[in-house]
Amino acid sequence: MNVVATSRARARIEITAAIKDVARRHLAAQGAAALSLRAVARELELSSSAVYRYFPSRDELLTALIIDAFDALGEAAEKADARHDPNDFAGRWLVVCRAVRRWARWHPHEYMLLYGSPVPGYAAPPDTIAPATRVGAAMARILQEAAVSGVLPPAVASVAAESGLADDALALQQSLLAGVPLPTVLAAIAAWTQVFGLVTFELTGQFHNVIDHHEQFFDHTCRVIGRSLGLPSP
Amino acid sequence: MNVVATSRARARIEITAAIKDVARRHLAAQGAAALSLRAVARELELSSSAVYRYFPSRDELLTALIIDAFDALGEAAEKADARHDPNDFAGRWLVVCRAVRRWARWHPHEYMLLYGSPVPGYAAPPDTIAPATRVGAAMARILQEAAVSGVLPPAVASVAAESGLADDALALQQSLLAGVPLPTVLAAIAAWTQVFGLVTFELTGQFHNVIDHHEQFFDHTCRVIGRSLGLPSP
DNA sequence: TGTACATCAGTGAACGCGCGTTCACTGATGTAC
DNA sequence: TGTACATCAGTGAACGCGCGTTCACTGATGTAC
């Protein structure tokens, strides 16, 4: 084995990527349920059996696409955050939300693969868990850094201590949201679901005849959410 | 033609219902993408071609199921509201939200048929629009009646008049939310998406390792939303 | 009330399609001596 | 550096499956006179 990879090894990497690219395009065109190994092989002028040298089953190919999509979405969120003034917490929240929406609109089928109906007969393997958390972690980081900076307002309400919900909030506070008041921890989870709820509703057309100005509504709502979380502008 | 329907007409109604029932069960078991006319026919001990006497295509059967599901969900929401003290607006909001969640948990695949990824190759016909609005209308009614009763707090912020979003808010105010301040109109749409976002996240397992106490979290968040809309308890 | 005809539910075979996966195989690439 | 062997990419045929939809047909139900 060489320091420079052998041509076989390089070909393997390239063809694996080509299969994923074509599969991603098919996914984008028709959705996950319509994704077929044979169709991908046809487009690459490979026999259908050849694809099995690269992915042991259709499900493994789907898994690879899911992981890539989670990573791409997570990276979009992280980069948007990194580009922004770190002390403008409200602004960071908004740009991260916008990055999620923009990515989703560019990759609607991939987004729905991640956040829509589960693909029938497909069970997500454990490898998908870590990439799936990136966006949420990026959002949490903003709140957590705001808390560390001491700019979050103190909690006005409290979370009933005896309820199981307080345990959930405490666990989150210890893992991702150190220093964030417990009611705000819960509000942060609600904010996270809200952002994805907005994006999903927009992509699936639920706003038809309700909201025409999607971007304005999204921005407006995200700003309101950011304010309700207590995130200050500089 | 008799006053009492002929046995043929009665049989047609019964068999149409039987086909829908079996299809609904298959949907519940495996999801929309896996719904097959032939499988439904098999279970009913009909030839697959016989089903075409009742539904001209698989898509029409799907449409019938979608309409039924929207109606069932809408009815669940309306009944929950009707059972509650009409002057307890915050309570009404909570029970309607709970009704949505309960129905979704009882009929997860039907719920995902309505609010998840679109079925590939299927385009929802116009007949589905009216039933689709029932839940939203039920939610809007609470807010609107609260406004009429004069118990809603006045708007604290305002909606920028020159933006297109103000037009959307005005249109909604005129159709479903008479008397509701414009910022609250937008908050109401956000609240609506939030509730469905919560339910969808719960059903698709996004809360795994984040929130364990789903019901408590849902109730808590819906109460917070109701409060943020200004809905008072009696 | 009885009869002739029209309507319609249901059948069974067929069409044409696509799918995931397996398997024995050929031939090129890589490796160890 | 050359050679023998091992590895592995890719093929093509096949298996077994299920699907939606059409069509000519039989036989029961309904209707008009």
Side-chain angles (χ1 to χ4, degrees), chain A residues 70-110:
Chain A
F70 270 130
D71 272 327
L73 175 60
E75 195 184 313
E78 288 163 10
K79 283 198 171 166
D81 188 28
R83 272 194 300 269
H84 205 84
D85 169 8
N87 290 313
D88 174 12
F89 297 103
R92 287 171 66 187
W93 167 256
L94 183 60
V95 296
V96 166
C97 291
R98 280 175 171 166
V100 170
R101 174 168 177 269
R102 185 174 312 120
W103 189 90
R105 284 166 55 97
W106 270 89
H107 310 273
H109 278 110
E110 283 177 81

mmCIF file of all heavy atoms in Angstrom, chain A residues 70-110:
data_model
loop_
_atom_site.group_PDB
_atom_site.id
_atom_site.type_symbol
_atom_site.label_atom_id
_atom_site.label_comp_id
_atom_site.label_asym_id
_atom_site.label_seq_id
_atom_site.Cartn_x
_atom_site.Cartn_y
_atom_site.Cartn_z
ATOM 1 N N PHE A 70 -27.945 15.571 7.471
ATOM 2 C CA PHE A 70 -27.858 16.147 8.816
ATOM 3 C C PHE A 70 -26.580 16.971 8.958
ATOM 4 O O PHE A 70 -26.585 18.062 9.544
ATOM 5 C CB PHE A 70 -27.872 15.040 9.874
ATOM 6 C CG PHE A 70 -29.237 14.665 10.372
ATOM 7 C CD1 PHE A 70 -29.647 13.343 10.411
ATOM 8 C CD2 PHE A 70 -30.136 15.634 10.837
ATOM 9 C CE1 PHE A 70 -30.903 12.979 10.881
ATOM 10 C CE2 PHE A 70 -31.386 15.282 11.309
ATOM 11 C CZ PHE A 70 -31.770 13.949 11.326
ATOM 12 N N ASP A 71 -25.504 16.448 8.392
ATOM 13 C CA ASP A 71 -24.243 17.175 8.500
ATOM 14 C C ASP A 71 -24.278 18.470 7.707
ATOM 15 O O ASP A 71 -23.786 19.501 8.175
ATOM 16 C CB ASP A 71 -23.086 16.281 8.019
ATOM 17 C CG ASP A 71 -22.533 15.426 9.150
ATOM 18 O OD1 ASP A 71 -22.540 15.900 10.305
ATOM 19 O OD2 ASP A 71 -22.108 14.284 8.899
ATOM 20 N N ALA A 72 -24.863 18.423 6.530
ATOM 21 C CA ALA A 72 -24.927 19.635 5.712
ATOM 22 C C ALA A 72 -25.786 20.694 6.397
ATOM 23 O O ALA A 72 -25.420 21.872 6.444
ATOM 24 C CB ALA A 72 -25.498 19.302 4.329
ATOM 25 N N LEU A 73 -26.906 20.269 6.929
ATOM 26 C CA LEU A 73 -27.776 21.216 7.630
ATOM 27 C C LEU A 73 -27.080 21.761 8.871
ATOM 28 O O LEU A 73 -27.094 22.977 9.128
ATOM 29 C CB LEU A 73 -29.095 20.516 8.001
ATOM 30 C CG LEU A 73 -30.072 21.330 8.838
ATOM 31 C CD1 LEU A 73 -30.477 22.597 8.114
ATOM 32 C CD2 LEU A 73 -31.306 20.492 9.166
ATOM 33 N N GLY A 74 -26.446 20.874 9.614
ATOM 34 C CA GLY A 74 -25.741 21.311 10.819
ATOM 35 C C GLY A 74 -24.634 22.284 10.488
ATOM 36 O O GLY A 74 -24.464 23.314 11.160
ATOM 37 N N GLU A 75 -23.918 21.982 9.405
ATOM 38 C CA GLU A 75 -22.824 22.865 9.022
ATOM 39 C C GLU A 75 -23.354 24.232 8.600
ATOM 40 O O GLU A 75 -22.758 25.269 8.945
ATOM 41 C CB GLU A 75 -22.036 22.225 7.884
ATOM 42 C CG GLU A 75 -20.690 22.882 7.664
ATOM 43 C CD GLU A 75 -19.974 22.278 6.457
ATOM 44 O OE1 GLU A 75 -19.930 21.030 6.364
ATOM 45 O OE2 GLU A 75 -19.492 23.049 5.608
ATOM 46 N N ALA A 76 -24.454 24.234 7.869
ATOM 47 C CA ALA A 76 -25.046 25.513 7.458
ATOM 48 C C ALA A 76 -25.375 26.357 8.676
ATOM 49 O O ALA A 76 -25.100 27.571 8.711
ATOM 50 C CB ALA A 76 -26.300 25.270 6.611
ATOM 51 N N ALA A 77 -25.955 25.722 9.685
ATOM 52 C CA ALA A 77 -26.315 26.453 10.903
ATOM 53 C C ALA A 77 -25.066 26.965 11.615
ATOM 54 O O ALA A 77 -24.993 28.129 12.023
ATOM 55 C CB ALA A 77 -27.132 25.556 11.826
ATOM 56 N N GLU A 78 -24.080 26.096 11.743
ATOM 57 C CA GLU A 78 -22.862 26.482 12.465
ATOM 58 C C GLU A 78 -22.134 27.617 11.759
ATOM 59 O O GLU A 78 -21.624 28.547 12.393
ATOM 60 C CB GLU A 78 -21.930 25.266 12.607
ATOM 61 C CG GLU A 78 -22.454 24.238 13.616
ATOM 62 C CD GLU A 78 -21.773 22.877 13.453
ATOM 63 O OE1 GLU A 78 -20.780 22.783 12.707
ATOM 64 O OE2 GLU A 78 -22.264 21.904 14.075
ATOM 65 N N LYS A 79 -22.056 27.526 10.438
ATOM 66 C CA LYS A 79 -21.345 28.563 9.699
ATOM 67 C C LYS A 79 -22.050 29.904 9.804
ATOM 68 O O LYS A 79 -21.400 30.949 9.931
ATOM 69 C CB LYS A 79 -21.204 28.162 8.227
ATOM 70 C CG LYS A 79 -20.118 27.138 8.011
ATOM 71 C CD LYS A 79 -19.696 27.072 6.546
ATOM 72 C CE LYS A 79 -18.457 26.195 6.388
ATOM 73 N NZ LYS A 79 -18.210 25.822 4.978
ATOM 74 N N ALA A 80 -23.376 29.870 9.721
ATOM 75 C CA ALA A 80 -24.118 31.125 9.846
ATOM 76 C C ALA A 80 -23.826 31.761 11.200
ATOM 77 O O ALA A 80 -23.627 32.976 11.308
ATOM 78 C CB ALA A 80 -25.611 30.856 9.686
ATOM 79 N N ASP A 81 -23.791 30.927 12.215
ATOM 80 C CA ASP A 81 -23.509 31.438 13.555
ATOM 81 C C ASP A 81 -22.086 32.007 13.626
ATOM 82 O O ASP A 81 -21.865 33.097 14.166
ATOM 83 C CB ASP A 81 -23.678 30.304 14.570
ATOM 84 C CG ASP A 81 -23.600 30.820 15.996
ATOM 85 O OD1 ASP A 81 -23.943 32.008 16.220
ATOM 86 O OD2 ASP A 81 -23.210 30.048 16.894
ATOM 87 N N ALA A 82 -21.152 31.269 13.053
ATOM 88 C CA ALA A 82 -19.743 31.677 13.150
ATOM 89 C C ALA A 82 -19.491 33.006 12.447
ATOM 90 O O ALA A 82 -18.576 33.752 12.819
ATOM 91 C CB ALA A 82 -18.847 30.581 12.560
ATOM 92 N N ARG A 83 -20.256 33.291 11.403
ATOM 93 C CA ARG A 83 -20.065 34.521 10.650
ATOM 94 C C ARG A 83 -20.600 35.745 11.389
ATOM 95 O O ARG A 83 -20.346 36.872 10.986
ATOM 96 C CB ARG A 83 -20.769 34.426 9.285
ATOM 97 C CG ARG A 83 -19.928 33.822 8.181
ATOM 98 C CD ARG A 83 -20.562 34.084 6.824
ATOM 99 N NE ARG A 83 -21.895 33.515 6.719
ATOM 100 C CZ ARG A 83 -22.174 32.300 6.269
ATOM 101 N NH1 ARG A 83 -21.198 31.510 5.884
ATOM 102 N NH2 ARG A 83 -23.410 31.865 6.211
ATOM 103 N N HIS A 84 -21.386 35.521 12.436
ATOM 104 C CA HIS A 84 -22.075 36.650 13.071
ATOM 105 C C HIS A 84 -21.316 37.140 14.302
ATOM 106 O O HIS A 84 -20.572 36.391 14.922
ATOM 107 C CB HIS A 84 -23.490 36.207 13.452
ATOM 108 C CG HIS A 84 -24.459 37.355 13.536
ATOM 109 N ND1 HIS A 84 -25.094 37.864 12.434
ATOM 110 C CD2 HIS A 84 -24.886 38.097 14.583
ATOM 111 C CE1 HIS A 84 -25.871 38.861 12.796
ATOM 112 N NE2 HIS A 84 -25.758 39.028 14.100
ATOM 113 N N ASP A 85 -21.539 38.402 14.618
ATOM 114 C CA ASP A 85 -20.985 38.987 15.843
ATOM 115 C C ASP A 85 -21.383 38.128 17.040
ATOM 116 O O ASP A 85 -22.563 37.999 17.353
ATOM 117 C CB ASP A 85 -21.552 40.415 15.996
ATOM 118 C CG ASP A 85 -21.244 41.021 17.367
ATOM 119 O OD1 ASP A 85 -20.469 40.412 18.143
ATOM 120 O OD2 ASP A 85 -21.783 42.108 17.650
ATOM 121 N N PRO A 86 -20.397 37.558 17.731
ATOM 122 C CA PRO A 86 -20.731 36.605 18.804
ATOM 123 C C PRO A 86 -21.477 37.218 19.983
ATOM 124 O O PRO A 86 -22.077 36.483 20.769
ATOM 125 C CB PRO A 86 -19.363 36.051 19.238
ATOM 126 C CG PRO A 86 -18.353 36.981 18.680
ATOM 127 C CD PRO A 86 -18.956 37.650 17.490
ATOM 128 N N ASN A 87 -21.440 38.529 20.099
ATOM 129 C CA ASN A 87 -22.139 39.144 21.226
ATOM 130 C C ASN A 87 -23.548 39.598 20.888
ATOM 131 O O ASN A 87 -24.283 40.054 21.760
ATOM 132 C CB ASN A 87 -21.333 40.327 21.754
ATOM 133 C CG ASN A 87 -20.067 39.848 22.444
ATOM 134 O OD1 ASN A 87 -20.116 38.925 23.265
ATOM 135 N ND2 ASN A 87 -18.937 40.434 22.087
ATOM 136 N N ASP A 88 -23.917 39.487 19.603
ATOM 137 C CA ASP A 88 -25.285 39.820 19.205
ATOM 138 C C ASP A 88 -26.112 38.533 19.242
ATOM 139 O O ASP A 88 -26.311 37.871 18.231
ATOM 140 C CB ASP A 88 -25.277 40.420 17.794
ATOM 141 C CG ASP A 88 -26.681 40.640 17.272
ATOM 142 O OD1 ASP A 88 -27.641 40.554 18.068
ATOM 143 O OD2 ASP A 88 -26.824 40.858 16.048
ATOM 144 N N PHE A 89 -26.552 38.193 20.435
ATOM 145 C CA PHE A 89 -27.199 36.889 20.614
ATOM 146 C C PHE A 89 -28.514 36.795 19.858
ATOM 147 O O PHE A 89 -28.826 35.767 19.258
ATOM 148 C CB PHE A 89 -27.387 36.613 22.108
ATOM 149 C CG PHE A 89 -26.094 36.513 22.841
ATOM 150 C CD1 PHE A 89 -25.630 37.559 23.633
ATOM 151 C CD2 PHE A 89 -25.299 35.380 22.722
ATOM 152 C CE1 PHE A 89 -24.411 37.470 24.296
ATOM 153 C CE2 PHE A 89 -24.083 35.282 23.381
ATOM 154 C CZ PHE A 89 -23.631 36.335 24.171
ATOM 155 N N ALA A 90 -29.292 37.856 19.873
ATOM 156 C CA ALA A 90 -30.554 37.842 19.125
ATOM 157 C C ALA A 90 -30.278 37.676 17.631
ATOM 158 O O ALA A 90 -30.960 36.919 16.929
ATOM 159 C CB ALA A 90 -31.338 39.127 19.384
ATOM 160 N N GLY A 91 -29.248 38.381 17.152
ATOM 161 C CA GLY A 91 -28.895 38.271 15.742
ATOM 162 C C GLY A 91 -28.424 36.878 15.383
ATOM 163 O O GLY A 91 -28.764 36.343 14.326
ATOM 164 N N ARG A 92 -27.617 36.275 16.265
ATOM 165 C CA ARG A 92 -27.136 34.920 16.001
ATOM 166 C C ARG A 92 -28.302 33.950 15.905
ATOM 167 O O ARG A 92 -28.337 33.080 15.035
ATOM 168 C CB ARG A 92 -26.174 34.484 17.122
ATOM 169 C CG ARG A 92 -24.813 35.163 17.059
ATOM 170 C CD ARG A 92 -23.991 34.874 18.305
ATOM 171 N NE ARG A 92 -23.641 33.463 18.414
ATOM 172 C CZ ARG A 92 -23.034 32.925 19.484
ATOM 173 N NH1 ARG A 92 -22.709 33.696 20.517
ATOM 174 N NH2 ARG A 92 -22.744 31.643 19.510
ATOM 175 N N TRP A 93 -29.237 34.096 16.818
ATOM 176 C CA TRP A 93 -30.410 33.225 16.782
ATOM 177 C C TRP A 93 -31.133 33.358 15.442
ATOM 178 O O TRP A 93 -31.473 32.368 14.800
ATOM 179 C CB TRP A 93 -31.356 33.578 17.939
ATOM 180 C CG TRP A 93 -32.719 32.968 17.821
ATOM 181 C CD1 TRP A 93 -33.861 33.593 17.453
ATOM 182 C CD2 TRP A 93 -33.060 31.592 18.049
ATOM 183 N NE1 TRP A 93 -34.914 32.704 17.437
ATOM 184 C CE2 TRP A 93 -34.445 31.470 17.796
ATOM 185 C CE3 TRP A 93 -32.334 30.461 18.436
ATOM 186 C CZ2 TRP A 93 -35.132 30.250 17.917
ATOM 187 C CZ3 TRP A 93 -33.017 29.242 18.554
ATOM 188 C CH2 TRP A 93 -34.397 29.144 18.305
ATOM 189 N N LEU A 94 -31.316 34.582 15.005
ATOM 190 C CA LEU A 94 -32.035 34.792 13.752
ATOM 191 C C LEU A 94 -31.285 34.189 12.561
ATOM 192 O O LEU A 94 -31.884 33.517 11.723
ATOM 193 C CB LEU A 94 -32.266 36.295 13.536
ATOM 194 C CG LEU A 94 -33.083 36.664 12.291
ATOM 195 C CD1 LEU A 94 -34.462 36.034 12.347
ATOM 196 C CD2 LEU A 94 -33.204 38.188 12.153
ATOM 197 N N VAL A 95 -29.978 34.398 12.490
ATOM 198 C CA VAL A 95 -29.263 33.892 11.313
ATOM 199 C C VAL A 95 -29.204 32.361 11.316
ATOM 200 O O VAL A 95 -29.220 31.735 10.249
ATOM 201 C CB VAL A 95 -27.839 34.495 11.169
ATOM 202 C CG1 VAL A 95 -27.918 35.994 10.940
ATOM 203 C CG2 VAL A 95 -26.952 34.157 12.343
ATOM 204 N N VAL A 96 -29.152 31.773 12.490
ATOM 205 C CA VAL A 96 -29.167 30.303 12.533
ATOM 206 C C VAL A 96 -30.525 29.789 12.047
ATOM 207 O O VAL A 96 -30.609 28.842 11.252
ATOM 208 C CB VAL A 96 -28.833 29.789 13.947
ATOM 209 C CG1 VAL A 96 -29.176 28.316 14.082
ATOM 210 C CG2 VAL A 96 -27.357 30.021 14.256
ATOM 211 N N CYS A 97 -31.591 30.415 12.521
ATOM 212 C CA CYS A 97 -32.929 30.017 12.058
ATOM 213 C C CYS A 97 -33.042 30.175 10.550
ATOM 214 O O CYS A 97 -33.550 29.288 9.852
ATOM 215 C CB CYS A 97 -34.002 30.863 12.738
ATOM 216 S SG CYS A 97 -34.174 30.539 14.492
ATOM 217 N N ARG A 98 -32.545 31.299 10.060
ATOM 218 C CA ARG A 98 -32.609 31.531 8.614
ATOM 219 C C ARG A 98 -31.792 30.509 7.846
ATOM 220 O O ARG A 98 -32.181 30.086 6.755
ATOM 221 C CB ARG A 98 -32.056 32.922 8.297
ATOM 222 C CG ARG A 98 -33.036 34.042 8.545
ATOM 223 C CD ARG A 98 -32.329 35.356 8.310
ATOM 224 N NE ARG A 98 -33.229 36.486 8.310
ATOM 225 C CZ ARG A 98 -32.825 37.755 8.401
ATOM 226 N NH1 ARG A 98 -31.529 38.020 8.521
ATOM 227 N NH2 ARG A 98 -33.705 38.729 8.382
ATOM 228 N N ALA A 99 -30.663 30.117 8.396
ATOM 229 C CA ALA A 99 -29.830 29.124 7.718
ATOM 230 C C ALA A 99 -30.581 27.799 7.606
ATOM 231 O O ALA A 99 -30.520 27.113 6.581
ATOM 232 C CB ALA A 99 -28.518 28.926 8.480
ATOM 233 N N VAL A 100 -31.308 27.446 8.645
ATOM 234 C CA VAL A 100 -32.088 26.209 8.607
ATOM 235 C C VAL A 100 -33.139 26.305 7.501
ATOM 236 O O VAL A 100 -33.295 25.405 6.676
ATOM 237 C CB VAL A 100 -32.767 25.939 9.966
ATOM 238 C CG1 VAL A 100 -33.769 24.794 9.858
ATOM 239 C CG2 VAL A 100 -31.720 25.634 11.033
ATOM 240 N N ARG A 101 -33.844 27.427 7.496
ATOM 241 C CA ARG A 101 -34.892 27.583 6.492
ATOM 242 C C ARG A 101 -34.298 27.594 5.088
ATOM 243 O O ARG A 101 -34.840 26.958 4.182
ATOM 244 C CB ARG A 101 -35.661 28.885 6.748
ATOM 245 C CG ARG A 101 -36.684 29.202 5.671
ATOM 246 C CD ARG A 101 -37.610 30.324 6.091
ATOM 247 N NE ARG A 101 -38.533 30.648 5.012
ATOM 248 C CZ ARG A 101 -38.311 31.562 4.079
ATOM 249 N NH1 ARG A 101 -37.169 32.232 4.091
ATOM 250 N NH2 ARG A 101 -39.214 31.790 3.149
ATOM 251 N N ARG A 102 -33.197 28.310 4.884
ATOM 252 C CA ARG A 102 -32.619 28.392 3.556
ATOM 253 C C ARG A 102 -32.179 27.012 3.075
ATOM 254 O O ARG A 102 -32.442 26.615 1.949
ATOM 255 C CB ARG A 102 -31.435 29.364 3.553
ATOM 256 C CG ARG A 102 -30.867 29.561 2.138
ATOM 257 C CD ARG A 102 -29.780 30.642 2.096
ATOM 258 N NE ARG A 102 -30.208 31.839 2.790
ATOM 259 C CZ ARG A 102 -29.581 32.364 3.845
ATOM 260 N NH1 ARG A 102 -28.485 31.777 4.308
ATOM 261 N NH2 ARG A 102 -30.030 33.446 4.413
ATOM 262 N N TRP A 103 -31.519 26.277 3.949
ATOM 263 C CA TRP A 103 -31.080 24.938 3.559
ATOM 264 C C TRP A 103 -32.291 24.067 3.209
ATOM 265 O O TRP A 103 -32.287 23.340 2.210
ATOM 266 C CB TRP A 103 -30.263 24.290 4.683
ATOM 267 C CG TRP A 103 -29.604 23.012 4.246
ATOM 268 C CD1 TRP A 103 -28.362 22.887 3.687
ATOM 269 C CD2 TRP A 103 -30.163 21.702 4.293
ATOM 270 N NE1 TRP A 103 -28.115 21.569 3.385
ATOM 271 C CE2 TRP A 103 -29.197 20.824 3.743
ATOM 272 C CE3 TRP A 103 -31.369 21.173 4.750
ATOM 273 C CZ2 TRP A 103 -29.402 19.448 3.638
ATOM 274 C CZ3 TRP A 103 -31.594 19.806 4.643
ATOM 275 C CH2 TRP A 103 -30.621 18.955 4.095
ATOM 276 N N ALA A 104 -33.322 24.173 4.009
ATOM 277 C CA ALA A 104 -34.514 23.352 3.783
ATOM 278 C C ALA A 104 -35.164 23.684 2.448
ATOM 279 O O ALA A 104 -35.652 22.800 1.743
ATOM 280 C CB ALA A 104 -35.512 23.539 4.925
ATOM 281 N N ARG A 105 -35.170 24.959 2.109
ATOM 282 C CA ARG A 105 -35.794 25.340 0.843
ATOM 283 C C ARG A 105 -34.957 24.923 -0.355
ATOM 284 O O ARG A 105 -35.485 24.659 -1.433
ATOM 285 C CB ARG A 105 -36.053 26.843 0.819
ATOM 286 C CG ARG A 105 -37.258 27.238 1.678
ATOM 287 C CD ARG A 105 -37.294 28.737 1.920
ATOM 288 N NE ARG A 105 -37.277 29.473 0.688
ATOM 289 C CZ ARG A 105 -38.364 29.955 0.067
ATOM 290 N NH1 ARG A 105 -39.551 29.774 0.601
ATOM 291 N NH2 ARG A 105 -38.252 30.609 -1.055
ATOM 292 N N TRP A 106 -33.653 24.835 -0.156
ATOM 293 C CA TRP A 106 -32.793 24.362 -1.235
ATOM 294 C C TRP A 106 -32.816 22.839 -1.352
ATOM 295 O O TRP A 106 -32.499 22.297 -2.401
ATOM 296 C CB TRP A 106 -31.353 24.842 -0.999
ATOM 297 C CG TRP A 106 -31.087 26.160 -1.635
ATOM 298 C CD1 TRP A 106 -31.278 27.392 -1.079
ATOM 299 C CD2 TRP A 106 -30.604 26.402 -2.959
ATOM 300 N NE1 TRP A 106 -30.952 28.378 -1.969
ATOM 301 C CE2 TRP A 106 -30.529 27.806 -3.139
ATOM 302 C CE3 TRP A 106 -30.229 25.574 -4.024
ATOM 303 C CZ2 TRP A 106 -30.101 28.390 -4.338
ATOM 304 C CZ3 TRP A 106 -29.808 26.163 -5.211
ATOM 305 C CH2 TRP A 106 -29.745 27.549 -5.355
ATOM 306 N N HIS A 107 -33.114 22.180 -0.275
ATOM 307 C CA HIS A 107 -33.071 20.709 -0.261
ATOM 308 C C HIS A 107 -34.346 20.159 0.373
ATOM 309 O O HIS A 107 -34.284 19.449 1.384
ATOM 310 C CB HIS A 107 -31.863 20.215 0.539
ATOM 311 C CG HIS A 107 -30.571 20.871 0.150
ATOM 312 N ND1 HIS A 107 -29.787 20.393 -0.870
ATOM 313 C CD2 HIS A 107 -29.941 21.972 0.631
ATOM 314 C CE1 HIS A 107 -28.712 21.165 -1.003
ATOM 315 N NE2 HIS A 107 -28.787 22.134 -0.098
ATOM 316 N N PRO A 108 -35.492 20.471 -0.227
ATOM 317 C CA PRO A 108 -36.743 20.135 0.465
ATOM 318 C C PRO A 108 -36.925 18.632 0.715
ATOM 319 O O PRO A 108 -37.371 18.237 1.792
ATOM 320 C CB PRO A 108 -37.826 20.686 -0.469
ATOM 321 C CG PRO A 108 -37.162 20.878 -1.791
ATOM 322 C CD PRO A 108 -35.713 21.161 -1.505
ATOM 323 N N HIS A 109 -36.553 17.810 -0.263
ATOM 324 C CA HIS A 109 -36.765 16.376 -0.050
ATOM 325 C C HIS A 109 -35.796 15.820 0.988
ATOM 326 O O HIS A 109 -36.159 14.943 1.767
ATOM 327 C CB HIS A 109 -36.640 15.610 -1.363
ATOM 328 C CG HIS A 109 -37.884 15.652 -2.186
ATOM 329 N ND1 HIS A 109 -37.976 16.345 -3.367
ATOM 330 C CD2 HIS A 109 -39.110 15.117 -1.989
ATOM 331 C CE1 HIS A 109 -39.193 16.214 -3.866
ATOM 332 N NE2 HIS A 109 -39.907 15.475 -3.045
ATOM 333 N N GLU A 110 -34.569 16.359 0.964
ATOM 334 C CA GLU A 110 -33.638 15.913 1.996
ATOM 335 C C GLU A 110 -34.125 16.349 3.375
ATOM 336 O O GLU A 110 -34.054 15.591 4.344
ATOM 337 C CB GLU A 110 -32.235 16.480 1.725
ATOM 338 C CG GLU A 110 -31.509 15.754 0.620
ATOM 339 C CD GLU A 110 -30.151 16.379 0.336
ATOM 340 O OE1 GLU A 110 -29.195 16.087 1.068
ATOM 341 O OE2 GLU A 110 -30.051 17.184 -0.613
#
